[in-house]
Each structure stands twice: as structure tokens, then as C-alpha cells.
Amino acid sequence: EELCQAEGTFSQLYSIQEFVWARFMVSSRVFRISWKRKRNSKTTSSGSRERSPDTTLAMVPLADMLNHGSPVHNCDWRHVEGRLSSSACFRMTTRVPISAGMEVTDSYGGKPNHILLAHYGFSLKSNHMDETFLEVGSRANALGPEDSGRTADYKAGGGAGCHIDYEKIRQRLLGYQQRAIFILTMRRKKKRERGTADRARGNVDGFEGDVNDEKKTKFLGKVRISGSLASLMSFTRILVASESELLSIGKIEEMVSVLTKKDLERLGGDLSSLTPQVVRADPQSLHNELRCLKVLVEAIESSVAARFDVNASSQATPRETRSEGFAGGGIPLAIQFCNLVRDGEKRILQTYLDAFRNVQKILSSLVGQDDGLQRRNKPGKEDPVDRSQAACEEVCKLARSKTFERSPVESYLLNDVVNLLRDVSEGPEEKG
């Protein structure tokens, strides 16, 4: 519509179908060319200095015929600058000797299947860049209506009377987000491969590099989309945190200890305003982590059931036969590509579900059955320290399994869970 408004005769010359065809012909074939910034810059009408752009999109005949090589490609490309603009060229160089009849392939960049399908029209049978999305809902859905927030009085230093709104603290820690969507993937951050991330084909922004980067956060309407397992765990720990855990995560007591009575009076006695917005919450306690895992397991089960019409609690696994062979079965190619996207996303969700269930089982063995939270420490029972160490070994063994090797799940198990178990073995844990 904007194009038609800018160029009145466009709609008379071309149909919407022709425009869509041309748009995708370009977006799926262009090359993003980079060059060094020029030293000279020009002054705009406002008086500010504006540097020349260092990237552009280019159509390169013949070169755009190459398919995406997976898992590896055998040809790299780059824009070669010359002293004169007329001497610049687009150069393609093979990475290995090419024999007669061998297909020459380049890389479209590391992208998950749903991006490959949407922008290039195909998906891969085995794509280590695959990802899926998981939505974590509100605190009411996480804990139930009986756990509504409350306010309380708090005695600060010097006997100053203060007021704490625990739900306000929680909301500030969550960045005032009632729900959030997180990207789940099985890949971990690694160095860029030569000829992929910085020389990827196509005009697709925002999907190069690592989605596990804490800084890569987007917003869809009022819903935060974050790209790391650490962000997911942190958000959920805050969501289910008890009052004492909220004070610990927000470091309220530490800040109060350095404030004078006059400082507190300036705050109007409201300590909630001291809370930083959007912080990372490390594992707080066995109790908090179990509540966190309970929420995540339920969220994944609901997601799998809604998106794939499968009862996740039955330990169902993706049906590989749906996408075996592109030539057989009489299934249209487009449907087979869609099945590959679905199978990859479902496989990721099932992997995370298995991991969280295993951790639930291990951590539950360290807490009592009397109230569902209190640690066992009764006469005749195995020493809690020994049980914690045994649990730690079990987690390490789980993390090093082939399923979780070099994935964000492995990092969560070896860092968060192991460190939590070590804290438990070093001293008694207070009930949260």
C-alpha cells in the first residue's frame, strides 16, 4: 500500500501476486556486501556528520543459483574492493577441490528451519540451529490464586519503620512483564564459522550469531522475547520466589544496611523503590528451583499438547517417519518441509522437558515428603551431605550424556544445578 501511494501507477502495472513474487525473488537471493568505511564523511543539512554506509544488498547473477550447503558448504564468497570503484569485484572461492559433476554450494547462514522455510522455501532434515519458543505466563498461573502478593512492615537500621510491597518488588525484578516468550535451542555460543555469519545470503536480519546472548531481547507487543535459557530460568525463579527470596534477589537488605534513617525517610518508607529492574536470579534454594521446574514442566507440556496435539506426559517422541525421504510417501514437498520444522521444534521441547523432569526427580530426593519442601534430616536416614553429593554426581552424569552435550541444558546442569547442590551439602538450607 505504501508503494502504491508513493507511485500511483504501480498498482495499474503490477498485481499483488507479481509484487510478492518479485519481492521474494530478491530477498531470497541477494548478497549482503560489506566494505571498509570511507574516511571522508559528508555534512547533512542539520550540520551533523554522516558516515558512508558500510553494507548494501546486491543481486549477483549466476552466484545466486548456488544452493545452501548442509552441514558444510564448499564455496565462500566476498566482495573485493579495488582502488577504483570499477576494479571492485565479487569473488567466489572454493574451499575444497571440486571434481566434475560435483555441486558447488555456499552458505545462507546459520538459521533455524522456520526461518529457512519462510524466507528460502526449504528446511533441513538435521539442523543444529533449530529453535522453538516457550511462553511463561503470569504469577497467578504459576502459583495459584492463594499465593497473592501482600505488603508488610519492615524494621530497617536504626529502628526506622519501612513498608515493603512484595509484589511491586517482583514486578520490578521482572521488568513489569506479566508473561514472556523465550527462545529454546540446543546450540551453545561458539565462534563464527568462516563464510557463514558475516557472509550469509539473503535479506534476513536478526538471526545471525547466537540466540543465547543475554543482551538479545526483543519485544512482541508488550511481551518480552528473550534468547537464553539463563533468562528463562531467572524469570521463572523470580516469578515463583517467596518473600524472603525476593528480598535476597533484589538485595534489599544489603541496600538498607548502608542507608541512614534520613535516607529512608526520603524514600517515604517504601523499600520497594530500591529494587533494580530486570536482574538475573541465580538458584535460590531447592524449594525455589523445584517450584521453578514445576512451572516450566507444565508450560512445556501445555505447549506440546496445544501445538502438536500430543500428550507430552506420555513421553512421546517426534515421529521421524513423517519426514523420511523427500521422494517417497506421496507427501507434497512443502508439507514435508513443514513437518521438518515441526519435528525439530517438538524435539527441542521434548529434550528440555526430559531434562527438567530429571532435575525435578533428583532435587525431590533431597526434600521431605512431610510438607513437600522441608529437607529430610531424621535419625536413621542417609546423611544429607552424602545424598547431596550423590545427587551432584547424578546431575554431572546427566549433563555429559550425548543428548545434552554442548547445549544450554548442559550449561544449566553443570553450573546452576551442581552449584545449588554443593551449597546444600555445605550447610543446612532454610525453608523458603
Side-chain angles (χ1 to χ4, degrees):
E1 293 180 358
E2 293 179 1
L3 184 59
C4 291
Q5 290 177 1
E7 179 53 58
T9 60
F10 186 84
S11 60
Q12 301 174 9
L13 298 175
Y14 307 102
S15 66
I16 183 64
Q17 290 81 9
E18 291 173 321
F19 169 74
V20 171
W21 174 85
R23 175 68 176 84
F24 278 97
M25 287 300 102
V26 173
S27 65
S28 62
R29 285 165 171 76
V30 295
F31 291 83
R32 188 180 297 274
I33 291 178
S34 302
W35 63 85
K36 296 179 182 178
R37 288 184 180 273
K38 296 180 180 180
R39 291 184 179 180
N40 60 321
S41 59
K42 60 181 180 180
T43 303
T44 63
S45 57
S46 62
S48 61
R49 303 289 288 179
E50 182 181 68
R51 291 186 177 182
S52 301
D54 60 353
T55 62
T56 191
L57 302 177
M59 297 287 288
V60 185
L62 186 63
D64 63 10
M65 296 177 63
L66 272 62
N67 286 327
H68 174 68
S70 177
V72 294
H73 56 285
N74 56 28
C75 181
D76 287 332
W77 62 267
R78 69 190 184 99
H79 173 251
V80 181
E81 295 185 73
R83 292 187 176 182
L84 300 176
S85 59
S86 59
S87 61
C89 67
F90 185 92
R91 179 177 296 169
M92 305 197 75
T93 308
T94 58
R95 310 174 77 183
V96 296
I98 304 295
S99 57
M102 183 176 177
E103 182 181 12
V104 180
T105 60
D106 67 355
S107 173
Y108 293 6
K111 296 177 175 68
N113 268 345
H114 68 92
I115 295 298
L116 291 176
L117 182 60
H119 293 268
Y120 303 98
F122 71 92
S123 54
L124 303 173
K125 284 188 177 181
S126 180
N127 188 350
H128 73 281
M129 298 297 291
D130 258 345
E131 64 187 29
T132 189
F133 300 88
L134 179 68
E135 180 176 339
V136 179
S138 66
R139 173 172 165 78
N141 293 333
L143 296 180
E146 69 278 4
D147 292 290
S148 59
R150 70 180 185 90
T151 61
D153 293 329
Y154 180 86
K155 286 294 182 181
C162 297
H163 179 76
I164 292 182
D165 185 334
Y166 289 102
E167 281 310 303
K168 184 177 179 181
I169 292 177
R170 191 188 313 277
Q171 291 305 316
R172 286 180 65 87
L173 291 172
L174 292 175
Y176 295 98
Q177 296 297 308
Q178 293 295 324
R179 60 193 180 97
I181 298 174
F182 296 88
I183 301 173
L184 300 183
T185 178
M186 292 305 295
R187 67 185 183 273
R188 185 186 288 177
K189 186 175 182 180
K190 61 181 182 179
K191 293 181 179 180
R192 287 182 173 182
E193 295 181 19
R194 180 171 175 261
T196 55
D198 55 341
R199 294 173 188 163
R201 274 182 52 184
N203 184 23
V204 184
D205 293 321
F207 292 92
E208 305 299 343
D210 176 52
V211 300
N212 297 317
D213 190 347
E214 289 277 1
K215 297 180 180 179
K216 291 195 175 180
T217 300
K218 309 175 194 176
F219 285 85
L220 179 62
K222 294 183 178 180
V223 183
R224 182 173 61 189
I225 301 180
S226 186
S228 76
L229 177 57
S231 297
L232 169 63
M233 301 308 298
S234 180
F235 182 92
T236 315
R237 286 170 188 143
I238 296 172
L239 192 69
V240 301
S242 65
E243 294 172 358
S244 61
E245 289 165 349
L246 287 173
L247 295 180
S248 174
I249 296 172
K251 303 186 186 305
I252 299 297
E253 294 179 345
E254 294 179 20
M255 288 186 283
V256 169
S257 65
V258 298
L259 294 177
T260 65
K261 188 174 181 179
K262 184 175 291 187
D263 293 331
L264 295 172
E265 289 175 352
R266 290 196 192 99
L267 294 172
D270 183 9
L271 298 182
S272 311
S273 57
L274 293 174
T275 310
Q277 292 190 37
V278 192
V279 299
R280 170 166 177 167
D282 294 322
Q284 298 299 300
S285 64
L286 284 178
H287 318 128
N288 179 271
E289 201 71 8
L290 282 170
R291 293 195 298 268
C292 172
L293 292 170
K294 179 177 181 293
V295 169
L296 294 177
V297 166
E298 292 176 352
I300 295 177
E301 288 176 342
S302 298
S303 179
V304 171
R307 294 162 60 183
F308 306 105
D309 195 25
V310 171
N311 183 4
S313 60
S314 65
Q315 300 285 349
T317 55
R319 290 179 292 170
E320 303 292 343
T321 54
R322 292 197 317 171
S323 46
E324 285 182 354
F326 289 144
I331 302 176
L333 192 61
I335 294 179
Q336 294 185 48
F337 285 146
C338 290
N339 286 341
L340 288 176
V341 175
R342 289 168 54 84
D343 286 350
E345 293 181 350
K346 186 172 159 188
R347 188 178 298 110
I348 293 173
L349 288 172
Q350 190 67 51
T351 302
Y352 274 82
L353 186 59
D354 293 341
F356 291 154
R357 282 173 173 164
N358 277 292
V359 176
Q360 266 187 316
K361 183 179 179 181
I362 294 171
L363 297 186
S364 295
S365 68
L366 300 178
V367 300
Q369 303 302 316
D370 302 335
D371 58 5
L373 292 177
Q374 188 65 38
R375 287 181 56 199
R376 290 180 187 168
N377 194 9
K378 300 179 180 179
K381 297 292 183 179
E382 184 183 358
D383 181 67
V385 175
D386 293 337
R387 290 191 292 114
S388 296
Q389 292 175 348
C392 188
E393 293 175 1
E394 192 174 352
V395 171
C396 290
K397 182 179 179 181
L398 178 67
R400 294 190 175 92
S401 65
K402 190 173 181 180
T403 304
F404 306 127
E405 185 180 10
R406 293 203 57 77
S407 74
V409 175
E410 181 193 51
S411 179
Y412 163 69
L413 295 173
L414 293 180
N415 294 324
D416 291 7
V417 181
V418 168
N419 288 335
L420 175 61
L421 292 172
R422 286 174 178 168
D423 291 341
V424 171
S425 65
E426 289 174 0
E429 178 182 331
E430 296 181 3
K431 183 176 178 179

